[in-house]
Amino acid sequence: MINPKIPNGPIENKWANYINNSKPINHANRSKYHIIIVGTGLAGASAAASLGELGFRVSSFCFQDSPRRAHSIAAQGGINAAKNYKNDGDSVWRLFYDTIKGGDFRAREANVYRLAQLSVKIIDHCVAQGVPFAREYGGLLDNRSFGGSLVSRTFYAKGQTGQQLLLGAYSALNRQISAGTVKSFPRTEMQDLIVVDGHAKGIVARNLITGELRAYTADAVVLATGGYSPAFYLSTNAIGCNVSATYRAYKKGAFFANPCYTQIHPTCIPQSGEHQSKLTLMSESLRNDGRVWVPLMHNDHRSAEQIPEQERDYYLERKYPSYGNLAPRDISSRAAKQVCDDGRGVGPGGKGVYLDFSNAIRRVGKSVISARYGNLFDMYIKITGENPYDKPMRIYPAVHYTMGGLWVDYDLMSTVPGLFVLGEANFSDHGANRLGASALMQGLADGYFVLPNTIAGYLNQIKPGLIKDNDLRITESVDTSREYIRRLMMIKGTKSPDYFHRELGKIMWNDCGMARTESSLRRALSEIPKIREAFWKDVNIPGSDMEFNQTLEKANRVADFLEFSELLCLDALKRNESCGGHFREEYQTIDGEAQRNDEEFCHVAAWEYKGLGNEPVRHQEQLKFENIHLAQRSYK
Amino acid sequence: MITLIESIESKICTLIESKISIVGSKVIMALTGACLTMFILIHLLGNMQLYAGRDIFNSYPELLRNFPISLWFARILLIFTFISHISMAVYLERKNKLSRIIQYNNELIPIGSSFASRTMLYSGFVIIAFVLFHLIHLTWKCFYVQNPNLDLYSLMIVSFRNPFITIFYILAQISLFLHLSHGFSSAAQTLSLTRNKLAKNIRLFGFWFAFIVTILYISIPVSILLRVIHD
Amino acid sequence: MNLRNYTLKIWRQKDKFSPSYLDTIQVKDISPDMSLLEMLDVVNNHLITINKEPIAFESDCREGICGACSIVINGIPHGKERGTTACQLHMRHFEDGETITLEPWRAEAFIPIKDLVVDRTAFDRIQQAGGYISVNTGSAPDAHSMLIHKNAADEAFDAAACIGCGACVAACKNASAMLFVGAKISQLAHLPQGDPERKRRTNAMVMQMEKEGFGSCSNTLECEAVCPKEISTKVIAELNWEFIRSINN
């Protein structure tokens, strides 16, 4: 059993008690502590800015050319906050409850409650930063409703909320860079975590322009490096998103929790062919006004407008009358898969369902719909060449977010002391399924409010600046990384890294995707090592490692996916239940819903690395539900 | 001597860079441009008197000479704005050339800019050449030193009966049209008068303003050549 | 499916010290549903299998929001489709057999890194100079303590939609960054939160822009035409206004 170090007291007071009992670092001493933050998304940028403001010495790393390009920028829909500005009965408790329930009772109560409490302050802070949220004519902030919730608590900036929030965090980061508290290292990718005497003491990073490898030492390391969706090759994540930072930390002793919890987003643009490099998400907010349907008849090849109303199956409204088209993501995704497997899918290959706006356009007018979703519609037109104002969109689920991540305690510290993990990279708040508009909330809560209050607890225990760059143990880490890259460069095979990545993706999507079975997972577990072996024999990286080399960057990341995917499948295999985004076909109710097994699996699975080829050890953190009664999730 | 000029020049450049920057430089361009446009309008009013006949037209320069102090003040101001406008243009052009030393292999294909906006420098050069010629031709009357008693009205008639001079004037006016049509809206943009929804209207107005001014200017030599205006 | 063939002419450059040249590559069997970048993926995968250096180009989100992709396509940054980034430009917009020229952004402030990749950290430095509102985490009042006119919020949003790709610079005959800088200044100038720092911010950002070596604005409006987010040159007028206001600072 691993200990999450949850503070005592009633859930409402845990965070306040924690802060009251914590001991901040003396202001004069803060600049003695050097903190490395990897990743500049919502969590990383907000953490770097906030720690900089407090007076710590911060180094911020990202592999992109600018901190502003982190993939948080692509989040569309919005950010939840329990402001109850709409007077529709929202509260911190309700947001807490919705998140726990949405996560299918696999999240840690204390963390989620803290998240709900902090959600309120996030909005205040972002508004003060100049984030242009949508407003009503009275000058107040507007809200909309979002999947998995009965109240309107989602704040948004058209369909570009993630962009606006990230630019807000980026501007706060810039302010600190300009003030000299934060040093920025763009185009510098983490290669390895440096662990000295069991504590995280820095990273080895590669300058992507010159290829130079060097160690950066620090008193604490923060990973805010996002999720691992591209393990499936096709996902809505950016091309550069990768598991390398968290996976290499895992190899250095950080436990990886619940890797099998992956979220499939129901509203993405269907794949058009083999060449496809990524899938594009259409914000879930579309489901506020769009109605999802497929033809009632099998293999119906008529175009949408030729199918009369009575021959359409609005299956979400039929199956989940109270939530209807707003059913949570995992439920809507699986429902789409079911109707497509049933032979009623639309579009090329029958892999798609309709999302129809004709009703909404008739009801509120084209201009209102255009104001709400204009940019999403434009995006759809660009990609597909079809106009959703005239004919229904075609959508299909795609991998979108990963709830699993490095295990962290209440302080957001991993099992390696001094290594903190924020945002999507950790596992803590979303359980087995994340509700819409919650990822932005979590990333910012972790970065702005949680870490700045919890990191002192660790820093108080250590002496700053103990490790020097020329320490033998540090130079050894650099040599190990150099040797690893040299091995990759030396393979000189015949295939591109993309080839192996795509092969991996096919296995993952087919055998470990929306629905998993024991046999499919066993198949995947036997196939993945073969691809990995082929990769290490036959990948080719032209050019040298001492220059800008995108093939090397890619190969470096694919190599980690090829190891990590095995862990993902193994976790899925060992979790003999269905919950949220993890759906095992063997474990379902009569009407096809996820069947949890609270007796045996009401816990977090945290995996400990034991060397390549050895099965990792599965640790457990028991989840205690003291405030919410465990129940079968129902959205009917 | 050359090094002295260079050092003064570099001092001025540093001063401009630190105090007014490229944005401020453009504001100066816009303000001086606006002054020059005013001059063009006043000058046009003077020219239009040609249609009122010899006496009225000839009395116009006389009238101006009756106020020598104001006249010289206006002249100096005009020369100053003219030179400022040109020097700022040269200064900015040199800076702009430095901002992209290595050019594209394929030239950029314009999709949003007007021909006039891309050729401001060239239309500006033609205007400078024209102004010099115009001064030599009609102010200092260098071509007509043999008959110093020629009045301005007759001088106009004699000049523009010459098709070469007329054509040169027309070409110069077309350059003025290009320069003004972009310059007007560009100055409005630089002086931030286009912050509201009027932006498009100002652009349109600038075009028609330049067009009408140019047509009126061109009408004079053409009228003389076609003998609408006669001696 | 009607697959298509193209001739690519691509700017190649090993690094900033090396000379550049135009490489000609023939590509076959391209689906019209591919994006331009996916077509380049296909080319690169082939180049890797024959052990040749793939074409370096930048991309990340591939859905038109991160601003990483940066290619001048046939003389137009991001290509001829309006309001579209290179990653969202699909091959259906190119004729079969067409010659497609691909070049990087060119400006002295954007230093070449490799092939189609350039260094755009100049943009970051401009933002660092003043593109923010000084508010420390935790010090904000309730979000509803300040009413903001809907129009002001909308205008701020329109300006804030800038993705920082640099197409405006690439398209400008002067390599001017006024649209980029104007977008940030306009966003913050429209909001009451941005008011206290407006003069300092404008001055600092403009001075940094000049220091980075971007040219001046000739108001040709080319930037607005290529901007994938269709940001209006109104933001430049607003930048000018803020600059004029800040003179007596």
Side-chain angles (χ1 to χ4, degrees), chain B residues 17 20-23 26 95-96 98-101 104-106 109 111-113 182 186 189-190 192 194-195, chain C residues 74-75 82 101 103-104 106 108 169-170 172 174 210 213 215-220 222 233-234 237 240-241 243:
Chain B
E17 265 172 26
I20 58 176
S21 83
I22 39 180
V23 183
K26 279 299 283 189
K95 269 195 99 89
N96 291 342
L98 288 177
S99 65
R100 184 179 290 128
I101 296 167
Y104 287 103
N105 224 301
N106 269 25
I109 295 175
I111 55 170
S113 55
H182 176 67
S186 178
Q189 168 86 350
T190 304
S192 52
T194 46
R195 283 173 294 140
Chain C
N74 289 338
R82 293 269 172 140
T101 310
E103 298 189 57
R106 291 288 333 132
E108 286 319 296
V169 173
C172 177
N174 306 336
E210 170 137 16
S216 77
C217 178
S218 294
N219 301 319
T220 67
E222 200 61 49
T233 42
K234 191 165 78 90
N240 289 328
W241 175 237
F243 182 80

Side-chain angles (χ1 to χ4, degrees), chain A residues 127 170 278 382-383 496, chain C residues 45 58 63 83 92 124 193:
Chain A
V127 166
Y170 165 72
K278 80 154 273 164
K382 260 170 217 161
I383 292 172
S496 70
Chain C
N45 277 319
E58 201 132 39
E63 51 187 79
R92 65 179 83 97
D124 289 320
Q193 304 93 301

Side-chain angles (χ1 to χ4, degrees), chain A residues 396-473:
Chain A
Y396 197 66
V399 184
H400 168 58
Y401 187 89
T402 53
M403 283 73 66
L406 290 180
W407 184 88
V408 289
D409 59 16
Y410 191 73
D411 293 359
L412 300 184
M413 188 160 82
S414 71
T415 49
V416 175
L419 176 69
F420 292 80
V421 191
L422 314 185
E424 192 180 350
N426 77 25
F427 87 104
S428 69
D429 295 352
H430 305 299
N433 174 54
R434 177 175 67 76
L435 288 185
S438 283
L440 304 182
M441 173 172 71
Q442 187 221 343
L444 289 179
D446 286 0
Y448 281 134
F449 298 109
V450 182
L451 183 76
N453 283 300
T454 60
I455 199 166
Y458 172 75
L459 295 180
N460 268 321
Q461 296 166 14
I462 59 160
K463 262 197 145 137
L466 268 185
I467 303 291
K468 299 279 170 280
D469 283 359
N470 55 5
D471 188 301
L472 201 64
R473 290 167 295 188

